[in-house]
Amino acid sequence: MDGPTATHSIPHLGRQATDRGLRRRWRCRGREPQSTSGNLLDAVLASRGLTNPGDVERFCNPSLSSLHDPSLIPDLDRAAARILDAAKAREPIVIYGDYDVDGTTGSAILVRMLALLEPEAQVSTYIPHRIHEGYGLHTEAIERLAADGVRVVISVDCGITAVAPALTARDAGLDLIITDHHNPPAELSELPDAYAVVHPRRPDSQYPFGGLCGAGAAYKLAWRLATLHAGSDRVPPASRELLLELLGLAALGTVADVVPLIEENRAIVHAGLRRLKFSPFPGVRALVEASGLAGEAIAAEDVGFKLGPRLNAAGRMGHAREALELLISEDTARSRELATLLTRQNDERRALEQRLTADALELAEKSGMTGPDCRAVVLSAPGWHTGVLGIVCSRLVDRLSRPVLLMSQDGDLCAGSGRSIEGFNLHRALESCTDHLDGFGGHDMAAGLRVHTDRFEAFREAFIATANELIRAEDLVRPLDYDCATSLASLTARAVEETSRLAPHGAGNPAVRVRLDGLTLDDSPKSFGKHGDHAGLYVRDASGGRPVRLVGWGWAKDTRHLRRGDPLDAIVEPRLNIWNGQRRIEPNLLDLRLHR
């Protein structure tokens, strides 16, 4: 069922009409878009396949007892034993992390655990420069570390395809321990020849949950380091307390890396977000304060929009080692200095991102990549800042509803990022174009890649041909999923509060969305905000009662032609507005359909 009956002419309203020129496909998450006038929470749970009382209880009350034994991950015990031996023997250890939030938080987890277990251990860190070195383990870096006398290198959030660097490490007598979560090779024989390869989705893995991020895998390794060091599953109080506090770092990485917030990830984030508010780590406290979250309960969306972008800004606009330094710092003054720096870099990143998004969108349109006959955007230009290209890709995917690859041309090499749409496996598509690529890595929805300039056109043609073959015309219209249809009368304060039990929200567990049919506009929309960009729409439905205000962020231009009495259907996120002790239902407007 997609919208009202076909007897109506239903123009589409909203930002998509002006920015994207696309009509959203309304799609119920459940098998049937049943209306509900009963318990809203039950209807939402049912739409997500949660009807068994036991499953509902586990989902609504996530517990750390649901976390799986780390030793079930292949090679994890071998890795933990080697790391502890090296730490006790004072062998130089380097934690080699990726430059994003997942990599820096995962690296900080291991640094802090080793500092507790073996305070005299020789542990240092290495974060590759996003622009000058690029993603992943690098042969040159391994050679330098080996020459400096390093004996053990532990990768975090990278390395699962690092075949050449692993051989370099082996030949140099350096024990390389890889911890990663990105797409592994299909065959065990294709894994890097490292001392240990810790990955929950290795071809031979029997680990019950494959959705861990890099920080999640690092947390499992830190957990096993603690139990192995203690010689028992019952660790000393200091180790236990640290493991609880490290959940905050794991939660940051899990939310920021947009892995599904289900099963283990849900338990990690649910417990970890609560730890961030009162973290004993000076850097985390400084980050929270700089983000304007001091004294507040921290939600997953705060990680996505405030904490995560600041940590990522270091790698995008400077060097991610500053983000890692913040997370492991014990100096309050230095932590505040770093948090201020990251906030400034994030402001710079935001301004640059807006400029590049406009430039890339204009180039895509001029290149004929925005129509139905070209189902992917592949662009390269000199001078594009590679540090923000991933975000710009996401913006264009949101606008154009097709995979986007953006690269910066620097001499004879183009390097950049890609983002995909639902149903199109980006990693697999790049694999089909390997003859044209200098290198790539990532997963189904995101990737980094390099291609020689003289091969760029051939690569672009090959990739677009793959996209045109696999992506249907209807896939170019972005779906808007909702949980169930309901009435305004069902959106009571109690019902909306009950749905908060589904938090934390994110990938795999989106915010609750409901469909409201048969609305009537009670008055013309009222704009608000500093620049009048937002709209408030008072609506009624057949259930009677007082009108309800729908809050349309950024909807002022697209609703200004609406008039009192207009018949509407809408998809909204139920929200409860508490102001001066008064509680009012004010759903966030996501999309509208107008009956004429």
Side-chain angles (χ1 to χ4, degrees):
M1 182 174 179
D2 184 22
T5 59
T7 56
H8 294 92
S9 173
I10 312 167
H12 173 265
L13 299 176
R15 286 171 287 179
Q16 293 78 19
T18 54
D19 289 351
R20 305 182 182 94
L22 296 172
R23 171 178 169 176
R24 299 292 293 274
R25 289 185 289 118
W26 292 11
R27 187 174 66 179
C28 185
R29 298 191 210 280
R31 293 183 178 180
E32 297 292 339
Q34 298 291 334
S35 296
T36 176
S37 57
N39 187 289
L40 179 61
L41 177 60
D42 287 347
V44 173
L45 287 167
S47 77
R48 302 183 182 200
L50 293 168
T51 55
N52 180 280
D55 293 339
V56 169
E57 173 63 23
R58 283 187 291 273
F59 191 86
C60 290
N61 297 288
S63 169
L64 294 178
S65 64
S66 66
L67 299 184
H68 304 299
D69 182 355
S71 296
L72 296 175
I73 300 178
D75 272 7
L76 190 139
D77 278 5
R78 176 176 168 83
R82 179 67 184 97
I83 293 168
L84 281 183
D85 287 345
K88 292 174 181 176
R90 309 295 184 260
E91 295 180 73
I93 300 171
V94 167
I95 297 172
Y96 188 121
D98 187 27
Y99 42 63
D100 66 1
V101 179
D102 197 16
T104 53
T105 53
S107 298
I109 286 169
L110 294 178
V111 169
R112 287 192 169 278
M113 180 53 73
L114 286 172
L116 174 70
L117 300 179
E118 294 290 340
E120 301 302 318
Q122 295 187 42
V123 179
S124 56
T125 61
Y126 186 94
I127 305 288
H129 193 282
R130 179 188 286 266
I131 296 174
H132 301 313
E133 295 178 88
Y135 170 79
L137 284 167
H138 300 286
T139 298
E140 297 81 2
I142 294 295
E143 290 173 342
R144 289 196 302 271
L145 294 174
D148 291 341
V150 174
R151 301 294 299 156
V152 176
V153 169
I154 311 164
S155 81
V156 177
D157 193 33
C158 60
I160 193 61
T161 59
V163 174
L167 292 176
T168 298
R170 186 194 65 186
D171 293 344
L174 186 157
D175 288 337
L176 174 62
I177 294 170
I178 293 172
T179 74
D180 200 357
H181 76 113
H182 293 94
N183 286 8
E187 301 294 334
L188 197 61
S189 60
E190 297 174 352
L191 290 177
D193 186 10
Y195 182 88
V197 178
V198 178
H199 193 300
R201 290 185 289 118
R202 272 177 47 159
D204 61 338
S205 178
Q206 299 298 313
Y207 193 70
F209 180 63
L212 292 173
C213 66
Y219 183 83
K220 289 303 181 98
L221 179 56
W223 178 358
R224 185 62 179 124
L225 288 171
T227 58
L228 194 60
H229 189 271
S232 167
D233 288 342
R234 296 181 63 85
V235 299
S239 295
R240 181 181 184 279
E241 185 59 31
L242 179 60
L243 283 170
L244 290 173
E245 295 300 343
L246 292 178
L247 286 168
L249 297 181
L252 284 174
T254 300
V255 174
D257 217 54
V258 201
V259 291
L261 295 191
I262 58 175
E263 299 187 37
E264 279 196 298
N265 287 341
R266 180 168 171 76
I268 288 171
V269 173
H270 184 265
L273 290 179
R274 299 181 178 187
R275 292 277 166 172
L276 289 175
K277 183 178 178 181
F278 303 108
S279 175
F281 308 143
V284 172
R285 291 199 305 271
L287 177 66
V288 169
E289 291 170 2
S291 302
L293 297 171
E296 297 185 18
I298 297 175
E301 63 184 16
D302 294 321
V303 175
F305 291 103
K306 296 180 181 180
L307 301 174
R310 283 171 167 79
L311 290 172
N312 260 332
R316 297 186 188 281
M317 307 303 295
H319 201 302
R321 63 189 173 207
E322 291 166 334
L324 178 55
E325 182 187 352
L326 175 68
L327 296 175
I328 61 178
S329 174
E330 294 297 339
D331 185 321
T332 298
R334 176 59 176 162
S335 294
R336 289 174 177 166
E337 179 184 337
L338 287 168
T340 300
L341 170 64
L342 266 58
T343 297
R344 183 171 67 250
Q345 290 176 328
N346 190 48
D347 292 338
E348 296 169 357
R349 185 273 308 167
R350 188 183 294 112
L352 178 60
E353 172 201 326
Q354 291 172 350
R355 291 198 301 272
L356 289 190
T357 297
D359 291 347
L361 185 60
E362 181 181 5
L363 184 56
E365 292 171 344
K366 287 182 177 179
S367 303
M369 295 183 181
T370 59
D373 295 332
C374 183
R375 297 175 185 176
V377 172
V378 184
L379 298 172
S380 180
W384 277 353
H385 195 298
T386 56
V388 299
L389 285 185
I391 309 176
V392 176
C393 283
S394 296
R395 298 290 180 261
L396 262 66
V397 169
D398 189 46
R399 297 281 186 94
L400 302 174
S401 300
R402 65 201 68 204
V404 176
L405 305 178
L406 300 178
M407 284 167 275
S408 179
Q409 180 182 332
D410 184 7
D412 63 353
L413 190 67
C414 298
S417 299
R419 298 293 184 269
S420 193
I421 61 172
E422 177 184 312
F424 184 77
N425 188 317
L426 182 58
H427 190 270
R428 191 174 302 153
L430 290 173
E431 281 182 331
S432 71
C433 303
T434 50
D435 290 346
H436 306 293
L437 290 169
D438 188 57
F440 74 96
H443 47 80
D444 296 2
M445 298 298 290
L449 68 158
R450 299 185 305 275
V451 57
H452 276 87
T453 304
D454 60 0
R455 300 293 298 166
F456 176 76
E457 289 300 330
F459 165 69
R460 171 156 56 188
E461 291 179 8
F463 187 87
I464 291 176
T466 298
N468 285 350
E469 177 185 354
L470 298 177
I471 298 174
R472 303 168 302 174
E474 54 265 35
D475 295 331
L476 300 179
V477 183
R478 293 174 59 236
L480 181 60
D481 294 335
Y482 63 94
D483 291 289
C484 62
T486 191
S487 66
L488 288 176
S490 296
L491 299 183
T492 64
R494 180 176 179 180
V496 174
E497 284 178 336
E498 283 183 338
T499 63
S500 67
R501 298 177 64 192
L502 300 179
H505 294 296
N509 182 42
V512 174
R513 294 172 180 170
V514 299
R515 174 172 168 168
L516 301 170
D517 289 338
L519 302 177
T520 300
L521 197 59
D522 198 62
D523 199 355
S524 297
K526 301 294 188 294
S527 62
F528 67 96
K530 183 178 180 180
H531 303 291
D533 296 333
H534 316 304
L537 287 75
Y538 284 89
V539 296
R540 297 177 184 268
D541 67 6
S543 64
R546 300 174 61 183
V548 172
R549 182 178 186 244
L550 308 183
V551 179
W553 301 106
W555 278 74
K557 289 183 179 179
D558 301 312
T559 57
R560 60 190 174 190
H561 63 287
L562 295 179
R563 295 293 180 266
R564 180 178 181 178
D566 280 343
L568 307 169
D569 301 330
I571 293 181
V572 302
E573 288 183 4
R575 293 293 177 96
L576 188 62
N577 184 9
I578 302 176
W579 181 255
N580 288 334
Q582 298 294 317
R583 302 195 307 169
R584 292 183 301 178
I585 300 298
E586 288 192 344
N588 282 353
L589 175 65
L590 301 179
D591 204 8
L592 278 179
R593 286 178 176 171
L594 171 65
H595 297 261
R596 290 296 191 192

